[in-house]
């Protein structure tokens, strides 16, 4: 969406829809607005026709020939934060999708978040909230489309930057929502190349099956051996002259473009959502493009392991013993625990290529979704300082994250009688933790964090906020852009 984001003055505002944020329990609206607009808003609130309840939007007409044609009173709820503003603008834009033209957001100094934060959140809410996942319909729904977002009393620069990142989030969503017959590993590599060209200052290569095997990636290659569509190891590199010499950010993404579970076949119910099992890889690709597009002065490398996980005569089996790139051997207990197998080789490769600080993004365990739902991802890390940097970036970006304990005694869950370790456990205990302990064996020396994004990366229903559309959410792109920006500071 090529919408223009700009700042505006209340005195000369012209808009087809003006979004006025209202906190629950508040008796007033944003200061500085035209007196007629303020009076109409006060009337709607006092009558109960409009409310400050979270995610509730009331749109009324003012004057079809006036400078502001409609006002949208958007509820923020009692917890007023950036998510509330994102949701307010997304809801108003959704409700007014047939109107088009100019939508404006009235920045309020009375809210507990700054005008700069409101500007960024409003831009994000607009871009993310107007995303349409139904791109494969033969007939598109009628929508006028907005051309401008005006931040009344806001910060245009912050808004423009946020909108720019949000557009990359939507491109990650495009990848996650693409059907698996269309988005094969080879096609994902092609899209990564296209995205990188759009972003600029990125080098991309895609290694095929023979090169993967030549590198000794026996773990990754085993997962790929049952699929007709060929695997790809997608590598993106970003460098600038003013980047820190002592830091190379390493981003690793799981990209199972369709996951049947392999021989350990998944249940058929909702298997169609397994096209989203490449959401970690999508986030890493789009996140790298976002930081390159923004010109963040940081050296970074992204490694995305892309394959299907299919059953068949050539598929890997429970009981197989694999040799990973770092020489360690793995007994396969469950072929549906394939994500950690492809990540194992990708992590080691990223470290070999010079990554000093690693973070992997993966829709890895259903247990993480059960524990944290669709709002928070879970993180395990081997370095407290690195974990704190990622957590701070997550909270600032809106990609919410919770750190969970990584303890060496969890390692016993993946002990094997026949190999160095096994890829799963028959015990119904601590599956996200044992997956993290498994991955730790391949993270090499230096700070590393594992982000299990199974809950918020691909949702089956509306989240009730600015991410109201089912499917891919692009979780991780904003986090990556924020983290890289902080590392470059």
């Amino acid at each position: 969406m090529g919408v223009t984001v700009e700042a505006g003055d209340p005195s000369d505002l012209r808009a087809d829809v003006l979004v006025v944020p209202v906190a629950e329990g508040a008796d007033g609206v944003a200061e500085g607005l035209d007196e007629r607009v303020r009076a109409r808003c006060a009337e709607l609130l006092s009558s109960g026709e409009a409310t400050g309840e979270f995610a509730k939007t009331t749109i009324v007409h003012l004057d079809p020939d006036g400078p502001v044609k409609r006002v949208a009173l958007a509820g923020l709820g009692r917890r007023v934060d950036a998510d509330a503003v994102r949701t307010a603008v997304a809801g108003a834009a959704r409700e007014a999708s047939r109107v088009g033209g100019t939508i404006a957001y009235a920045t309020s100094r009375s809210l507990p978040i700054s005008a700069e934060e409101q500007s960024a959140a409003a831009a994000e809410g607009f871009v993310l909230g107007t995303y349409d996942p139904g791109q494969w319909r033969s007939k598109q729904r009628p929508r006028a489309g907005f051309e401008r977002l005006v931040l009344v009393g806001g910060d245009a620069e912050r808004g423009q930057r946020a909108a720019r990142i949000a557009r990359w989030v939507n491109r990650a969503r495009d990848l996650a929502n693409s059907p698996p017959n269309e988005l094969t590993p080879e096609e994902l590599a092609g899209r990564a190349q296209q995205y990188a060209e759009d972003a600029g200052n990125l080098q991309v290569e895609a290694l095929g099956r023979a090169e993967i095997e030549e590198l000794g990636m026996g773990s990754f290659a085993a997962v790929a051996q049952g699929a007709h569509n060929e695997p790809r190891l997608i590598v993106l590199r970003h460098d600038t002259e003013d980047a820190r010499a002592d830091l190379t950010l390493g981003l690793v993404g799981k990209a199972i473009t369709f996951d049947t579970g392999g021989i350990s076949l998944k249940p058929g119910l909702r298997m169609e959502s397994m096209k989203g099992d490449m959401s970690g890889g999508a986030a890493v690709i789009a996140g790298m493009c976002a930081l390159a597009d923004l010109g963040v002065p940081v050296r970074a490398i992204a490694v995305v392991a892309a394959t299907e996980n299919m059953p068949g005569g050539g598929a890997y089996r429970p009981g197989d013993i694999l040799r990973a790139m770092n020489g360690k051997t793995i007994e396969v207990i469950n072929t549906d625990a394939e994500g950690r197998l492809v990540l194992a080789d990708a992590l080691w490769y990223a470290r070999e290529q010079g990554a000093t600080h690693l973070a992997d993004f993966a829709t890895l365990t259903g247990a993480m979704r059960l524990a944290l739902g669709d709002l928070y991802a879970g993180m395990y890390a081997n370095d407290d300082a690195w974990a704190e940097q990622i957590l701070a970036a997550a909270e600032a970006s809106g990609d919410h994250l919770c750190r969970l304990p990584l303890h060496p005694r969890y390692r016993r869950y993946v002990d094997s009688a026949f190999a160095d370790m096994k890829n799963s456990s028959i015990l119904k205990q601590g599956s996200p933790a044992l997956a993290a302990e498994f991955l730790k064996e391949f993270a090499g020396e230096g700070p590393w964090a594992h982000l299990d994004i199974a809950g918020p990366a691909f949702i089956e229903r509306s989240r009730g906020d600015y991410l109201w559309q089912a499917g891919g959410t692009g979780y991780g792109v904003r986090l990556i852009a924020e983290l890289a920006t902080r590392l470059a500071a």
Side-chain angles (χ1 to χ4, degrees):
M1 179 178 292
V3 67
T4 301
V5 179
E6 58 190 65
D9 191 292
S11 62
D12 59 0
L13 174 65
R14 293 189 172 275
D16 295 282
V17 180
L18 170 64
V19 183
V20 179
V22 182
E24 191 167 351
D27 56 3
V29 295
E31 55 286 329
L33 296 177
D34 177 86
E35 198 54 45
R36 183 164 178 248
V37 173
R38 290 178 61 82
R40 185 65 172 129
C41 290
E43 178 186 336
L44 292 166
L45 289 169
S46 63
S47 69
E49 186 175 345
T51 173
E53 185 179 347
F54 180 76
K56 299 297 183 183
T57 303
T58 303
I59 298 181
V60 296
H61 287 262
L62 289 179
D63 182 351
D65 298 318
V68 176
K69 294 179 173 59
R70 301 164 191 83
V71 63
L73 278 166
L76 300 174
R78 292 194 177 276
R79 175 173 172 160
V80 179
D81 56 11
D83 274 353
V85 174
R86 293 180 185 110
T87 303
V89 176
R94 181 171 73 250
E95 293 293 330
S97 61
R98 291 177 179 269
V99 174
T102 296
I103 187 169
Y105 172 79
T107 302
S108 175
R109 306 285 170 176
S110 64
L111 297 180
I113 56 175
S114 69
E116 292 76 19
E117 290 175 294
Q118 289 181 60
S119 299
E124 286 178 352
F126 177 74
V127 175
L128 301 180
T130 53
Y131 175 81
D132 183 5
Q135 300 169 36
W136 293 266
R137 297 189 191 100
S138 57
K139 293 184 179 179
Q140 296 299 311
R141 293 171 179 168
R143 299 173 63 185
F146 289 102
E147 299 167 357
R148 278 198 317 158
L149 170 63
V150 177
L151 302 169
V152 183
D155 186 323
E157 186 175 346
R158 284 289 296 275
Q160 290 163 359
R161 186 179 190 277
R164 202 166 173 181
I165 296 169
R167 293 185 191 108
W168 286 111
V169 175
N170 282 348
R171 296 185 84 169
R173 298 167 85 177
D174 287 343
L175 294 176
N177 291 331
S178 294
N181 60 321
E182 176 183 301
L183 194 77
T184 63
E186 182 180 12
E187 175 63 18
L188 179 60
R191 300 256 193 113
Q193 179 67 56
Q194 176 196 330
Y195 284 14
E197 290 172 3
D198 293 343
N201 197 29
L202 283 171
Q203 290 77 49
V204 184
E205 61 179 327
L207 309 183
R209 186 186 298 272
E211 294 161 298
I212 290 165
E213 291 175 349
E214 285 172 12
L215 286 168
M217 294 183 169
S219 186
F220 178 19
V223 177
Q225 71 188 40
H228 171 72
N229 289 308
E230 292 291 295
R232 290 292 185 272
L233 186 73
I234 305 165
V235 184
L236 299 89
R237 292 181 170 85
H238 177 259
D239 201 358
T240 61
E241 291 183 0
D242 49 351
R244 285 174 53 182
D246 63 333
L247 186 144
T248 298
L249 174 62
L251 302 168
V252 174
K254 170 191 172 184
I256 305 298
T257 57
F258 192 71
D259 182 17
T260 67
I263 287 177
S264 304
L265 193 67
K266 291 178 180 293
L269 184 64
R270 297 196 178 94
M271 193 190 282
E272 69 276 9
S273 68
M274 286 298 101
K275 67 179 183 179
D277 207 20
M278 41 62 65
S279 296
V284 165
I285 290 169
M288 280 287 284
C289 290
L291 69 88
D293 185 25
L294 293 171
V296 179
V298 66
R299 184 176 297 107
I301 179 171
V303 181
V304 175
T307 182
E308 296 173 333
N309 184 24
M310 302 291 285
Y316 80 123
R317 299 152 289 234
D320 283 0
I321 294 179
L322 317 176
R323 186 176 297 277
M325 189 181 180
N326 68 348
K328 293 186 178 182
T329 56
I330 306 161
E331 179 190 7
V332 177
I333 302 299
N334 187 334
T335 64
D336 194 26
E338 85 298 329
R340 66 205 68 181
L341 294 177
V342 303
L343 287 173
D345 283 334
L347 281 165
W348 191 257
Y349 184 80
R351 192 69 87 180
E352 274 204 340
Q353 294 297 303
T356 60
H357 292 69
L358 272 177
D360 70 74
F361 294 75
T363 50
L364 209 65
T365 66
M368 189 63 78
R369 181 186 289 112
L370 289 173
L372 298 178
D374 58 11
L375 185 59
Y376 276 75
M379 179 180 68
Y380 296 88
N382 66 354
D383 182 274
D384 290 341
W386 182 228
E388 287 302 318
Q389 285 181 292
I390 295 173
L391 285 170
E395 195 55 32
S397 69
D399 282 337
H400 300 301
L401 187 62
C402 175
R403 188 182 184 186
L404 297 166
L406 188 67
H407 195 284
R409 285 206 291 276
Y410 280 125
R411 176 61 174 78
R412 74 189 192 282
Y413 283 104
V414 292
D415 286 344
S416 168
F418 306 103
D420 294 327
M421 68 196 79
K422 56 190 179 185
N423 78 324
S424 185
S425 170
I426 61 172
L427 298 173
K428 300 296 183 181
Q429 298 177 0
S431 58
L434 72 87
E437 277 295 331
F438 178 94
L439 292 173
K440 185 181 176 184
E441 299 281 331
F442 303 92
E445 297 298 322
W448 155 79
H450 160 57
L451 282 71
D452 190 334
I453 64 175
F458 196 92
I459 56 180
E460 296 175 353
R461 62 192 184 284
S462 172
R463 221 171 64 174
D465 59 10
Y466 61 99
L467 293 174
W468 61 275
Q469 312 95 329
T473 67
Y475 179 96
V477 176
R478 290 179 294 168
L479 193 163
I480 289 168
E482 180 67 24
L483 178 62
T485 301
R486 289 169 177 244
L487 292 174

